[in-house]
Structure formats: C-alpha cells, structure tokens
C-alpha cells in the first residue's frame, strides 16, 4: 500500500492562499469616504397617507372675532405620516396658532380668532414619497360699521325721504341689508320701519301730522346689526294742515253744536245732541302750503222707534 504523495514546495517561494470574499465584506471602494453614513432605506409604507376632511370644513368655516377655532382633522397612514400646516402658503404664526399631531389626527387651535386669521389653511401628509393634502377656508368676521353720510332729503305731506352710503367697514363679510328706525321727538322712542332693506335710499310714509321725527339707519351682516347707527342731523317736521269742517258746503267751525277733534293725525267731528235736522253731507277739508284735500260723508238721521 503506497503512501499519499506530499505537495511539492519550490525552494524559496512561499505558498499563496486566496481568501474567498463578497462585495458586502470588501473594504471601501475607490473614491468612497469610509466615514460617510450609508444611505437609509425608505420606510415600508403599509398604509398610504389619507386625510379625512369633515363635511362642515368642505365649505368656508366662519367664526366671529374672539371665538375659538379648534379643528380636529382625522387621517390615516402607517407608519405615521409627517403632518405640515401652512396659512396662505406660508408657515403658521406660532404666536397665534398652535398644532397638535396625534397618531391618527392633527388639531389646529386658535384661542381668540382675529380677522387676520382668515385665509386658506392647508394640511399636508408625507409618507415614503407619498402625499395627501386638504385645504380649509376660514373666515373670521365681526359686526359692520354704521352707514355713512345719512341725510334727510325731503319732507312732503306725511312722508320723508332718506339717503345714505354703505359703511366703510363691512365686518369682513357681505352686508345683509339695513334697518331703518324713526323716533317722534316728543316721546323719543325708536320704532323700526324697515328691516333687511337693501337699497341706500327710502321713503318713510304714514308720519303723524304735526309731529317732528329723527331717523337712524343700522347696517347688518351675519354677526348682527352695527353697534352704532347713522342718525339724521336734520329733523323732519310734518306740517300740521288747517282742518275745516263743512255741512252741505257751509262751514260749521264756530257752531257750538259741533266739536272738531284732531289726534295723532286723525280728524273727527262730534255732533252734540243730534236731531232730525242734522243729516246732510259733511266735508272734512285739509289745507297747507302745498294744496288741499277733502273727503265727504253722508249722514242720515232716523228717529228712534217707540215701543208699543
């Protein structure tokens, strides 16, 4: 039985051993800094980002000055996406607006809203190269200012004409109209004659003859009436006409049998102890500087029926 032959070694030459290796275990390649961090793999998106905008925020969200804005916006995404808010395309003013992000929602909070907080707010979600956005329009409003340049244009008969111009400040929203009121100078009480009126001029009728009036106008928006009103500087004097009573076209002013009364613009004639000869055509005539007007009434007298 022969023994295995030993390997031959050439004199003066050491044997070369080649180690098996892979690219993962190889040293730094040429041109690569050994101290630079290795690129991190993108996170595995298990659920893409999605914003669930509540229905009431799909239209303009209106708040009054001083109100609190507290908007909770649900979203989904796994891992948790990164949420970013902007206001009119710029970063939020953190001195006024705060944001809290939860695992499944983002909250936008303003303690006391001001008109400068109005605008377009955008929420963006980013996750692994995927993105979803939602825009919310917020409008912060307040009461309008009073109308401007109100004046009493004309007074004729029992009517008065007013004119004014819109308020300089509408309260950051559209006007819903005007409210017009009158006050008798004797009582000083205000009464509304027009509400939700859209024009900037009006005629106020049925004023009481002999009285004097002051008028005022409020502007109105969705927050309510303006805190102050525009008040006319001039007073409307409704001239009291001269009233003449006639019977069968003959004046009866000085006849003690009759008593003429005028109260709150209503004229009446009282006949003392009426008899069979008091029937006839009675006429009430009103006269002032603009002309005259009259109305007639027929009065028939009937003797009482005696009981059998």
């Amino acid at each position: 039985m022969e023994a295995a032959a030993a390997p031959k070694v050439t004199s003066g030459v050491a044997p070369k051993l080649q180690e098996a290796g892979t690219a993962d275990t190889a040293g730094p390649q040429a041109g690569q800094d050994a101290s630079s961090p290795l690129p991190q793999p993108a996170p595995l998106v298990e659920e893409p980002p999605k914003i669930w905008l509540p229905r009431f925020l799909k239209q303009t969200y209106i708040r009054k000055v001083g109100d609190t804005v507290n908007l909770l916006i649900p979203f989904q995404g796994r891992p948790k996406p990164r949420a970013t808010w902007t206001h009119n395309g710029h970063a939020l003013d953190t001195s006024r607006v705060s944001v809290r992000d939860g695992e499944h929602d983002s909250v936008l909070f303003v303690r006391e809203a001001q008109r400068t907080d109005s605008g377009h707010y955008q929420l963006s979600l980013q996750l692994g190269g995927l993105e979803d956005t939602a825009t919310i329009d917020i409008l912060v409003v307040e009461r309008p200012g009073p109308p401007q340049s109100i004046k009493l244009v004309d007074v004729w008969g029992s009517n008065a004409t007013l004119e004014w111009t819109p308020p300089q400040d509408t309260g950051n929203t559209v006007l819903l109209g005007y409210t017009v009121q009158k006050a008798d100078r004797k009582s000083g009480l205000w009464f509304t004659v027009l509400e939700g009126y859209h024009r900037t001029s009006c005629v106020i009728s049925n004023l009481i003859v002999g009285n004097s009036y002051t008028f005022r106008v409020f502007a109105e928006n969705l927050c309510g009436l303006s805190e102050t009103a525009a008040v006319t500087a001039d007073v409307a004097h409704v001239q009291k006409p001269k009233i003449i009573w006639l019977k069968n076209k003959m004046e009866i002013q000085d006849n003690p049998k009759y008593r003429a009364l005028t109260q709150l613009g209503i004229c009446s004639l009282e006949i003392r102890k009426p008899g069979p000869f008091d029937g006839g055509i009675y006429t009430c005539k009103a006269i002032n500087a603009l002309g005259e007007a009259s109305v007639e009434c027929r009065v028939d007298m009937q003797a009482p029926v005696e009981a059998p």
Side-chain angles (χ1 to χ4, degrees), residues 8-16:
K8 295 181 179 181
V9 179
T10 305
S11 175
V13 178
K16 295 182 179 180

Side-chain angles (χ1 to χ4, degrees), residues 243-246 262 267-268 282-286 293-297:
I243 304 299
I244 300 176
W245 283 94
L246 303 95
T262 302
C267 300
S268 60
Y282 288 83
T283 303
C284 180
K285 181 182 291 187
S294 62
V295 62
E296 293 183 348
C297 176

Side-chain angles (χ1 to χ4, degrees), residues 150-164 179-183 190-195 197 201-208 213-217 232 236 238:
I150 187 171
K151 61 181 179 179
L152 178 65
V153 178
D154 193 14
V155 180
W156 78 101
S158 59
N159 310 289
T161 302
L162 303 178
E163 287 183 356
W164 62 89
T179 294
V180 182
Q181 296 181 339
K182 67 177 180 180
W190 290 99
F191 296 92
T192 298
V193 293
L194 293 171
E195 283 185 298
Y197 188 75
S201 65
C202 69
V203 175
I204 301 177
S205 304
N206 300 321
L207 300 176
I208 297 176
Y213 292 90
T214 301
F215 304 96
R216 67 183 183 184
V217 180
T232 55
V238 184

Side-chain angles (χ1 to χ4, degrees), residues 1 9 29 35 67 69 75 91 126-127 145 185 206 208 233 246 249 265 288 299:
M1 185 173 181
V9 179
Q29 300 297 321
S35 62
D67 287 352
V69 177
F75 61 75
Q126 292 90 22
L127 177 60
R185 298 283 294 214
N206 300 321
I208 297 176
L246 303 95
K249 298 185 179 180
N288 66 9
V299 177

Side-chain angles (χ1 to χ4, degrees), residues 86-90 92 117-122 135-138:
T86 60
H87 179 207
N88 294 330
H90 303 283
L92 297 180
D117 296 319
S118 302
H120 307 290
Y121 290 80
Q122 186 178 71
T135 301
I136 303 170
D137 292 326
I138 298 179

